[in-house]
Amino acid sequence: MRAYGTDLSSRLLLGTALYPSPAVMAEAIRAAEAGVVTVSLRREGAAGEEGAGAGQRFWDLVGGLGPRVLPNTAGCHSVKEAVLTAQMAREVFGTPWIKLEVIGEDDTLQPDVFGLVEAARILSRDGFQVFPYTTEDLVVAGRLLDAGCEVLMPWGAPIGSGRGLNNPYGLRSLRAHFPDVPLIVDAGIGLPSHAAAAMELGFDGVLLNTAVARAGDPVAMARAMALAVRSGRLAFEADPMEARDMASPSTPVVGAAVFA
């Protein structure tokens, strides 16, 4: 997978929130062999119960694991807030990459696509390489590309819901309309089968967090997700058969024995 001129080692992108401990998070990232991990400026800078150095220790841990770091603007509800958070994250993490979130609705955490496009345009002009968390809407996708984005991250379902792909038709249409744009399904993945289904549609990657972090065994689930992503991609590249309405015998009937 290639994003903004960078070749990534894996098509699985993993979040760093909600794990029972930093040690479990680190083991899950290793098990997933994730090419990218997302980090929150709020998470990195939090003092927490361990004191003022907890954020730095977290950053040192994540930075030592190897994957590329993708800061995000999680929790931002306005263009101004998202742009400011992105600018601060660039200073803290030393990367122009930003996963852009502008939340428009609290119950579903659906993106505010109007604010998202505006923020993407501002950040792109400022030298950021933007990974926008968006919907599967084709018009919004086009506006984001016009704003300077070179990657799109449509949701599968609401963040943390684990519902999988709510609109396979919309995601399939997005893939067909933008065949050369890197597309990553972001949010809503709950099971390895969901991740495999996204990859079978031809998506370039999957970003998930809660499904691994909140599993009974996050390390085992991370490994399962990694296998599912690989399997789904292999299936897509194999050019799978089309679904049929009627049965088709797998054993040839020509030349079969005939009994009088």
Side-chain angles (χ1 to χ4, degrees):
M1 177 182 166
R2 190 171 179 83
Y4 288 104
T6 299
D7 290 319
L8 303 179
S9 60
S10 169
R11 296 179 183 275
L12 177 59
L13 295 76
L14 200 60
T16 56
L18 305 176
Y19 290 88
S21 72
V24 172
M25 177 201 70
E27 285 302 308
I29 292 172
R30 292 190 187 99
E33 299 179 8
V36 172
V37 293
T38 61
V39 291
S40 169
L41 183 65
R42 292 175 176 83
R43 174 66 177 85
E44 194 278 338
E49 297 179 358
E50 296 179 281
Q56 183 60 48
R57 287 193 291 273
F58 171 80
W59 172 228
D60 290 341
L61 174 61
V62 171
L65 292 172
R68 179 90 182 222
V69 171
L70 176 61
N72 65 35
T73 63
C76 292
H77 288 73
S78 71
V79 172
K80 182 178 180 180
E81 184 183 12
V83 169
L84 178 60
T85 301
Q87 292 169 338
M88 294 171 64
R90 180 167 59 182
E91 294 299 317
V92 171
F93 298 107
T95 176
W97 280 20
I98 192 72
K99 179 192 171 189
L100 180 61
E101 297 183 25
V102 182
I103 300 302
E105 207 283 320
D106 287 333
D107 289 332
T108 63
L109 298 180
Q110 179 169 328
D112 171 1
V113 294
F114 305 101
L116 183 67
V117 171
E118 182 180 351
R121 182 175 294 109
I122 294 170
L123 292 173
S124 294
R125 289 174 178 170
D126 192 26
F128 282 89
Q129 295 172 334
V130 180
F131 293 69
Y133 161 64
T134 183
T135 66
E136 68 277 19
D137 187 281
L138 296 176
V139 176
V140 174
R143 296 289 189 272
L144 288 168
L145 295 175
D146 292 341
C149 298
E150 296 181 14
V151 176
L152 299 175
M153 303 180 71
W155 65 347
I159 294 172
S161 68
R163 297 183 62 86
L165 308 183
N166 274 357
N167 185 6
Y169 170 78
L171 292 172
R172 188 179 295 110
S173 297
L174 190 67
R175 176 75 284 175
H177 277 72
F178 303 103
D180 300 321
V181 176
L183 300 179
I184 301 168
V185 170
D186 175 18
I189 300 297
L191 295 170
S193 57
H194 300 157
M199 299 305 294
E200 288 168 3
L201 290 176
F203 279 73
D204 297 282
V206 170
L207 194 162
L208 55 91
N209 187 173
T210 309
V212 168
R214 290 304 195 203
D217 186 340
V219 177
M221 184 59 78
R223 189 173 296 113
M225 289 293 186
L227 292 171
V229 167
R230 292 177 198 156
S231 176
R233 182 65 186 184
L234 285 171
F236 170 73
E237 292 174 347
D239 190 15
M241 63 174 285
E242 295 289 337
R244 297 171 58 94
D245 291 329
M246 302 294 290
S248 176
S250 56
T251 301
V253 296
V254 176
V258 177
F259 298 94

